[in-house]
Amino acid sequence: MHDDKRRGEELRSYAAIGDGRTVALIGGRGQIDWMPIPDLAAAPVFARLLDDDAGGCIELCPTADFTMTRSYVEATNVLTTTFTTATGRASVTDALVTGVAGRLPWAELARRIDGIDGEVEFAWRVLPGTVLGTASPWIEQSTEGAIIRSGEATIAVVGSDHGPREPAPDGPSGPQLSGGFTTSASRRHLLIVVATHDEPLHLPDPANVDRGIDRTIENWRHWSREFSYAGPWAAHVQRSALALKLLIYSPTGAIAAAATTSLPESPRGGKNWDYRFAWVRDLAYTAHALVLFGLREETHAAISWLLRTIRANGPDLHIFYDLDGDAPHGVFEHDVPGWWGIGPVVSGNPAQGQLQLGVYGDLFAICRTYVDAGNVLDVETGRMLAGVADRTCDLWRSRDAGMWELPDQEHYTSSKMGCWQALDDAVHLAEAGQVAGSADRWRVERDRIREWIERNCWSEELGAYVMHPGSGRLDASVLLHAPSGFDRGARMSSTIDAITRALGAGSLVYRYSGAQEEEHTFVACAYWRATALACVGRHDEAIALMDELVKLPNDVGLLAEMIAEGDGAFWGNLPQALSHLALINAALTIRDLTDETETRGH
C-alpha cells in the first residue's frame, strides 16, 4: 500500500473524546496517541501521533487477532468499541470523565471493559512520553503505588480487576506501567489514568469512576437535549455540533480551531501548524450556529470571552488568541520527527501578527448575530466596536495576508469583502442603537468598498471574482460572501461555476489556484460551495451537493482539515472546527433558504 494512503487512513481512524478542557484521540486499535495534560494547549505527555518512538501512548486491546466496530454512545462524546476475537467479544467504553458540576479539576481518562460472551485476553500499557522532547519521564514508588512523572505532569493508573504489574524496566521506549486481564460474560474491568499538571494528584475510587462514566454520558445527553435542530442531515449536524463542543474550552469559553498541532497538510511537509488557539473567524461561524441551536450558555460565554480578550489585548485586533485570552507570540520547533516523519512539530503559530482585514468582518458578524438574537451589547463593547469600525474605514485600502495567511501581501478580494461586511454590520448595529459612532461615515466607506471591488476584482474573462486585482487566480474564500450578503446574484453564481471548474475535485474544493501542487483539498471549502449555491438560489444543486458532502466524515463523524482527492485520506489537524462549522452552517443555510423559497412559492 502506498505510504501516503496508509498515513491518511491512519489519521482517518481516530475518534475523539473530551471533558471541556482537553481532548484524547483514540485510534483503530484502541490506542490513545494524543492527550495533552491538563489542557488542550499544554505540551502533551501522550503524543505518539507526532513522535512514534518517544511520544507516549495509552494502549488497550486484545492480545489475539481481532475485528473492531465502534460508535459514540448516542448523543454523547463517549466512545464504545466492540472487539471480537476467535474466543469471545468484549466492549470498551472510553470517556474523559466530567464531574457533578461540570469538568473535574484533574484529567480522568476512564476505560470500562465489559465482557459480552466467551473470553477475551486484553493487555494494556501506559507509556509516558518526553513531552515533545522537553522532559525525561520516570516512575517512582509512593505509599499509594507507582506514580508517573513527566515534566510537570503527575500521572497514576488505578483500576478494578485490571491486572496491574510492576513497572516495566526501562527499554527503548522508556519506563511504563502495564498489565493484562481476561474478560468473560458479564464481568467488568476498569482502567483509569488520572493526571494533573504542577499540582497534587487525587487518586479516585474506581467505583466512583465507574459511576462517573455513566454521569458523563448523562451530562452529554443533557447537553444534546438542549441542542435544537430540525431539518435535513440532522444526524450529521448533531454529530458535528458534538465535535465542535469538544473544542470549546470550558474554563474561558474560547473555541480551539483544532485539537492538535503539526499534523501536515502535505506529504512534503512544511505546512505544519499549531491550531490549538481561538480564531476570531471560527468564533463568528460558531456564534451563528450556537444561536440557531438555542445554546445560550455557550453563545454568551464565547462572545463575552472574545470581547474581554480583545479589550485586554487591544487596541489592535488580533486574528487569534490563546485559550486563556492572551495574544500568543513566537513559534517553538520541537526536535521530534512528526507524524510519519513529516515535520516540523511546532508550538505556536507564525500567523500571529499578520494583518488580516477579514477579521473585522468576523468580529462584527459575531456581534450582529448576538444582537439579532435578542440580546444587548454593553456600553464599553459599543464604544470599542465604533472604534473598530472607524479603524476599518482607514485600513481597508491596505494590502494584507488574506484569509489563508499567505506570505504575499496583496489586495485580497475576500479581505475587502470582509471590510464591507464589517461596515455593513456596523451600520446595522448603529441603527439598532447598539453602537454609537459615525454611521454616516461607515455607510459611505461601505459603499466605496463595494464599488472598488466591483471595479477591480471582477474578471469578465474568467466570469469570476479573482483572488486579487490583476490576478487570474481564484480563491474559494470569496464564496463566504454569498452568505455575508455581499453578492447573491449573477456574479457570485458565475464565480461558483468558475471555482468548480478550476478548483473543484468532484465534491471537494482546493483553497486557491496553485494549491493543488502544494496540498490536499480543504474540507470547509466544499461546504462553502454548497452554501453559496443555496444563497444564489440554486437550491437543487445545493441539496444534491450536500447529500454527497455529508459522506466525508469518518466512521464516527469527525472531519480533519483536508481530504486527499484520490483516496479520501485525512490530512491536517483534527477534529477541525472550521470543517465542522462549514458542514453545520451549510445545512442551516440550505434549510432556511429552501424553506423561505417554498414559503414564497405558496
Side-chain angles (χ1 to χ4, degrees), residues 508-546:
L508 299 166
V509 179
Y510 290 92
R511 292 193 290 170
Y512 49 81
S513 299
Q516 299 93 320
E517 287 76 48
E518 300 175 355
E519 61 190 40
H520 298 288
T521 70
F522 197 79
V523 173
C525 292
Y527 293 102
W528 295 346
R529 178 164 55 144
T531 304
L533 283 167
C535 289
V536 299
R538 295 161 63 174
H539 301 291
D540 290 345
E541 292 175 70
I543 292 168
L545 179 55
M546 193 65 176

Side-chain angles (χ1 to χ4, degrees), residues 154-167:
T154 302
I155 304 165
V157 179
V158 298
S160 173
D161 203 10
H162 63 304
R165 295 198 297 266
E166 293 300 313

Side-chain angles (χ1 to χ4, degrees), residues 420 423 442-452:
W420 174 90
L423 296 179
W442 304 337
R443 289 188 190 92
V444 169
E445 289 295 334
R446 175 197 62 189
D447 296 343
R448 189 171 287 143
I449 294 169
R450 173 179 287 280
E451 189 275 332
W452 189 92

Side-chain angles (χ1 to χ4, degrees), residues 213-233:
I213 295 171
D214 296 327
R215 179 181 63 244
T216 301
I217 290 171
E218 182 50 39
N219 286 345
W220 281 114
R221 285 178 168 167
H222 176 75
W223 183 85
S224 291
R225 285 192 293 270
E226 294 297 315
F227 168 91
S228 175
Y229 173 77
W233 315 292

